[in-house]
Amino acid sequence: MTTINDIAARLGISKSTVSKGLNNARDVSEEMRKKILETAVEMGYVNRRLQKKEKKLCILVENMDYRTPNQFGHDLILGFKQMAEPDGWKIDVIPLDKEFQRGIPYTVFMMEHGYQASFVLGFSLLDPWIHEFRTSRIPAVLYDNYIKENPNIASVGCDSQEGFELAVKHLVDLGHQKIGLISGPLDSYILKARYNAYLNAMDKYGLEINEKYIGLEYYINDSTRKYVPRLLGEGVTAILFSHDVRAISAITECEDRGISIPGDVSIIGFDDLPIAAHTQPPLTTVRQDRLALGKCGFYALSCLLNRVPIGSILLRATLIVRNSTGPVPRKSV
Amino acid sequence: MTTINDIAARLGISKSTVSKGLNNARDVSEEMRKKILETAVEMGYVNRRLQKKEKKLCILVENMDYRTPNQFGHDLILGFKQMAEPDGWKIDVIPLDKEFQRGIPYTVFMMEHGYQASFVLGFSLLDPWIHEFRTSRIPAVLYDNYIKENPNIASVGCDSQEGFELAVKHLVDLGHQKIGLISGPLDSYILKARYNAYLNAMDKYGLEINEKYIGLEYYINDSTRKYVPRLLGEGVTAILFSHDVRAISAITECEDRGISIPGDVSIIGFDDLPIAAHTQPPLTTVRQDRLALGKCGFYALSCLLNRVPIGSILLRATLIVRNSTGPVPRKSV
């Protein structure tokens, strides 16, 4: 086990300087303190005094509204806290951006604040700290993201495969066969997962997979403006969307063009955002239970903190059937 | 919420008879007691007195040695108990077979003994209780098995995909390109998962997928006798096995035939059974951490008992490199 002596020897400084650096003393320069912390992390040093003093976790949030009740981030965090706080953990919620991440290494940030682990929301593959997660020794759980091979990092999310299988089955029961997908581009873990889930579900029900039934585009309204008419032109009678926000944009698009939902086309989202029940027509969608996802996040962290190196926990998906899906249009039969 | 009155009304019997049935009193016939318990389960009745009196779980074991230290079943159960017992749970280990399952419905068995949930090891799709798991309201976690859509049932296992990706990467680094698979037939959840993991890993590394490189057969020694020479005849230089027992059978087969491992062919198992370190040559294999898997089982049950409907927890796989893998034979390059 790495001791303060080992760190001192590596850096060629005194034991007491190392100790001061680790304990945030004022008479050590900022630069030296970071060097000490980074070396301590690199060498696998465990600051037992800090660990025993306080049970502290942080939730790192990017690109996600977490202050408005019932919204995604809010409920994820609430679910996490509902499990963690009764277990004696103090939780800090830290909103941040890429700029912040460039300013301080993840491990140094965590050690400086005495956080034993983190729950990470809303990060993309472009976030600087994502690279640190590949080798980090500090347990972290990522929502809708996945880091390969590092036993200290786990993933939680809703089961895209189960969700899209339920969605396709529902459409097949209504007589649909030409089913399309509109999604963002495949540059994130979760969009790749949804895309593969769509392909597998189509394959499972023996339906034609045709690239002309698929539209991938970053900007939400652009994607629906471009692809809804194009897919309908190919004879598609039902469209899955990678997220509710895209499906809701399609509802507006169809209204503008006089396309009836579900008379001309059935649409299904993914998320079950609160607004999904209030669109016209109300949206059929795959529900991610946000509170349960937050709780999963804490279970996953508990595994890692107890040295049970899980890679992922998947939450069950459920299909919420509303009025945006209906029988296949007669002209298509 | 269902009450004793509801059950009495449904069955057309007195409240006190229902109460006696639920509480295992002697003056209720065996037949009536089963009827009461089955109806109680069907109606979603929760026996709060029983639940509060004792925290009891059971581990149902079929086809698995669990008494010998270091063996699979033993370590799975030990890991589970290591998490569950400090949390105040009493654990009973119940070995059983299909005959036993045919004699009593699962839900009745669980309620009779006051078990709140089960951890299920070694079941196959042919087990009678598997059908009950599709609709059961009693939380259960299945090792290496998966039940669709029932939020009361979760799955735990080691990540086959991660395991075979590590295995194929290791072989590619050694120069192998024609990599085969020998497995049991695809009639179980886990063998299908390993098979798909093999296909995906080959695809990921841009290697040829050829049905002539794949041998699926139930009987272990038959499968190696038939397919090891056949795959080598096709130019395969490395073989993945769905389980260590098959890889170990292949070692014997190769020895009999004068085929050198890894001189003529590299082989990789899956499990890291204790014996894998002691074969000649020692076996390169994907490790399933048995204790950690048992712990995962308890984490998964904890989720379900707290109404967090997870579908699965996957444990990280690691590749243990020993001497059954080596550089691709020169003649094949």
Side-chain angles (χ1 to χ4, degrees):
Chain A
M1 200 187 319
T2 305
T3 65
I4 288 181
N5 276 330
D6 300 327
I7 300 169
R10 165 82 72 93
L11 292 174
I13 58 179
S14 74
K15 214 176 119 175
S16 72
T17 306
V18 173
S19 178
K20 284 176 183 174
L22 290 174
N23 294 303
N24 222 355
R26 297 199 175 192
D27 53 344
V28 174
S29 74
E30 184 64 15
E31 192 187 349
M32 177 56 82
R33 191 169 58 87
K34 282 200 181 171
K35 202 166 171 182
I36 291 166
L37 284 173
E38 286 183 292
T39 306
V41 171
E42 185 192 337
M43 296 179 75
Y45 174 76
V46 180
N47 191 336
R48 299 201 176 278
R49 197 179 61 80
L50 255 189
Q51 279 204 334
K52 284 197 181 140
K53 202 163 62 180
E54 237 183 340
K55 288 172 72 177
K56 271 176 78 180
L57 302 175
C58 65
I59 304 181
L60 306 174
V61 189
E62 191 177 2
N63 289 322
M64 204 184 262
D65 169 16
Y66 64 90
R67 290 191 175 88
T68 314
N70 291 321
Q71 293 305 318
F72 226 97
H74 178 275
D75 289 359
L76 271 174
I77 290 170
L78 178 58
F80 187 90
K81 286 185 172 179
Q82 284 173 339
M83 294 301 303
E85 288 181 349
D87 201 36
W89 290 95
K90 184 176 174 308
I91 317 288
D92 289 345
V93 179
I94 319 276
L96 43 69
D97 58 13
K98 292 180 183 55
E99 195 55 36
F100 182 89
Q101 294 171 51
R102 276 189 284 266
I104 182 170
Y106 168 68
T107 42
V108 173
F109 171 81
M110 295 294 284
M111 286 193 75
E112 271 192 4
H113 293 85
Y115 296 130
Q116 277 121 292
S118 66
F119 183 36
V120 181
L121 310 180
F123 274 45
S124 82
L125 297 177
L126 300 172
D127 275 283
W129 285 4
I130 285 282
H131 298 286
E132 284 195 65
F133 290 145
R134 298 188 208 287
T135 52
S136 167
R137 296 189 189 209
I138 299 173
V141 170
L142 279 54
Y143 166 63
D144 271 359
N145 247 312
Y146 184 79
I147 300 291
K148 279 174 61 169
E149 292 174 29
N150 185 343
N152 302 303
I153 313 285
S155 169
V156 296
C158 183
D159 189 339
S160 298
Q161 187 59 54
E162 183 173 49
F164 271 177
E165 273 184 27
L166 291 167
V168 169
K169 181 179 186 308
H170 170 61
L171 293 170
V172 167
D173 289 345
L174 291 166
H176 297 270
Q177 299 212 324
K178 290 194 177 181
I179 301 172
L181 171 73
I182 292 180
S183 163
L186 307 184
D187 59 2
S188 78
Y189 166 75
I190 191 63
L191 289 176
K192 277 184 217 164
R194 297 268 156 86
Y195 179 79
N196 287 327
Y198 163 76
L199 297 183
N200 289 335
M202 294 293 281
D203 187 54
K204 176 165 183 170
Y205 286 97
L207 302 176
E208 185 192 353
I209 295 169
N210 186 327
E211 61 180 29
K212 292 181 178 162
Y213 301 171
I214 300 172
L216 308 178
E217 175 121 358
Y218 183 78
Y219 292 105
I220 292 173
N221 289 339
D222 286 357
S223 74
T224 55
R225 190 172 311 126
K226 182 168 160 188
Y227 285 108
V228 169
R230 193 180 287 187
L231 268 54
L232 290 179
E234 294 289 339
V236 161
T237 61
I239 305 177
L240 307 185
F241 291 81
S242 59
H243 290 93
D244 279 358
V245 285
R246 286 181 193 270
I248 290 164
S249 163
I251 289 177
T252 308
E253 185 67 25
C254 287
E255 196 171 13
D256 289 352
R257 290 172 180 268
I259 298 168
S260 156
I261 300 174
D264 300 316
V265 64
S266 288
I267 71 171
I268 300 185
F270 202 114
D271 276 343
D272 197 28
L273 298 181
I275 194 181
H278 306 291
T279 51
Q280 273 310 325
L283 185 65
T284 296
T285 187
V286 178
R287 173 178 289 168
Q288 302 203 56
D289 182 331
R290 300 183 287 275
L291 282 173
L293 274 172
K295 290 176 182 175
C296 279
F298 182 71
Y299 278 111
L301 261 192
S302 302
C303 287
L304 298 180
L305 288 164
N306 281 301
R307 300 188 181 282
V308 177
I310 64 165
S312 65
I313 297 185
L314 283 181
L315 189 72
R316 295 270 179 190
T318 46
L319 185 71
I320 307 300
V321 176
R322 299 197 182 96
N323 296 336
S324 70
T325 46
V328 66
R330 284 207 189 142
K331 61 188 176 196
S332 308
V333 178
Chain B
M1 200 187 316
T2 306
T3 64
I4 288 180
N5 276 330
D6 300 328
I7 300 169
R10 164 83 71 93
L11 292 175
I13 58 179
S14 73
K15 214 178 119 176
S16 70
T17 306
V18 173
S19 177
K20 284 175 182 173
L22 291 173
N23 293 303
N24 221 354
R26 297 199 173 191
D27 54 345
V28 174
S29 75
E30 185 64 17
E31 193 187 347
M32 177 56 80
R33 191 169 58 88
K34 282 199 180 169
K35 203 165 169 183
I36 292 166
L37 285 173
E38 286 182 293
T39 306
V41 172
E42 186 192 336
M43 297 178 74
Y45 173 77
V46 180
N47 191 336
R48 299 201 176 278
R49 196 180 61 80
L50 253 188
Q51 279 204 334
K52 283 193 181 144
K53 202 166 58 182
E54 235 184 343
K55 289 172 72 177
K56 270 176 78 180
L57 303 174
C58 63
I59 304 180
L60 306 173
V61 189
E62 192 176 0
N63 290 323
M64 203 183 263
D65 169 15
Y66 64 90
R67 290 192 176 88
T68 314
N70 291 321
Q71 293 305 316
F72 225 96
H74 177 276
D75 288 359
L76 271 173
I77 290 171
L78 178 59
F80 187 91
K81 287 185 170 178
Q82 284 173 338
M83 294 301 302
E85 288 181 350
D87 201 35
W89 290 96
K90 184 177 173 308
I91 317 288
D92 289 344
V93 179
I94 319 276
L96 43 69
D97 57 14
K98 293 179 182 57
E99 194 56 34
F100 181 88
Q101 294 171 52
R102 277 189 284 266
I104 182 170
Y106 167 68
T107 41
V108 173
F109 171 81
M110 295 293 284
M111 287 193 73
E112 272 191 5
H113 293 85
Y115 296 130
Q116 277 121 291
S118 66
F119 184 35
V120 181
L121 310 181
F123 274 44
S124 82
L125 297 176
L126 301 172
D127 276 283
W129 285 4
I130 285 281
H131 299 285
E132 284 194 65
F133 290 145
R134 298 189 208 286
T135 52
S136 168
R137 295 187 189 213
I138 300 173
V141 170
L142 280 54
Y143 166 65
D144 270 0
N145 246 313
Y146 184 78
I147 300 291
K148 279 174 61 170
E149 292 174 27
N150 185 344
N152 302 303
I153 312 285
S155 168
V156 295
C158 183
D159 189 339
S160 298
Q161 188 60 52
E162 183 172 50
F164 271 176
E165 273 184 27
L166 291 168
V168 169
K169 181 179 186 307
H170 169 62
L171 292 170
V172 166
D173 288 346
L174 291 167
H176 297 269
Q177 299 212 328
K178 291 194 176 181
I179 300 172
L181 171 73
I182 293 180
S183 163
L186 308 182
D187 59 2
S188 80
Y189 166 76
I190 191 64
L191 289 176
K192 277 183 218 166
R194 297 267 156 86
Y195 179 79
N196 288 327
Y198 163 78
L199 297 182
N200 289 335
M202 294 293 282
D203 188 53
K204 177 164 185 173
Y205 287 97
L207 302 177
E208 185 192 354
I209 294 169
N210 186 328
E211 60 180 30
K212 290 182 181 163
Y213 301 171
I214 300 171
L216 309 177
E217 175 121 357
Y218 183 79
Y219 293 104
I220 292 172
N221 289 340
D222 285 357
S223 74
T224 53
R225 190 171 311 127
K226 183 168 158 188
Y227 286 108
V228 169
R230 193 180 287 186
L231 268 54
L232 289 180
E234 293 290 338
V236 161
T237 61
I239 306 176
L240 306 185
F241 290 81
S242 59
H243 290 94
D244 279 358
V245 285
R246 286 181 195 270
I248 291 165
S249 163
I251 290 177
T252 307
E253 185 68 24
C254 287
E255 195 171 14
D256 288 353
R257 289 171 180 270
I259 299 168
S260 156
I261 301 174
D264 299 317
V265 64
S266 287
I267 71 172
I268 300 185
F270 202 115
D271 276 343
D272 197 27
L273 298 181
I275 194 181
H278 306 290
T279 51
Q280 274 311 326
L283 185 65
T284 296
T285 188
V286 178
R287 174 179 288 168
Q288 303 203 56
D289 182 331
R290 301 182 288 273
L291 282 173
L293 274 171
K295 291 176 182 174
C296 278
F298 182 70
Y299 278 111
L301 261 191
S302 302
C303 287
L304 298 180
L305 287 164
N306 282 302
R307 299 189 181 284
V308 177
I310 64 164
S312 64
I313 297 184
L314 283 182
L315 189 72
R316 296 270 178 190
T318 46
L319 185 70
I320 307 300
V321 177
R322 299 197 183 96
N323 296 338
S324 70
T325 45
V328 66
R330 283 205 190 146
K331 60 188 178 196
S332 307
V333 178

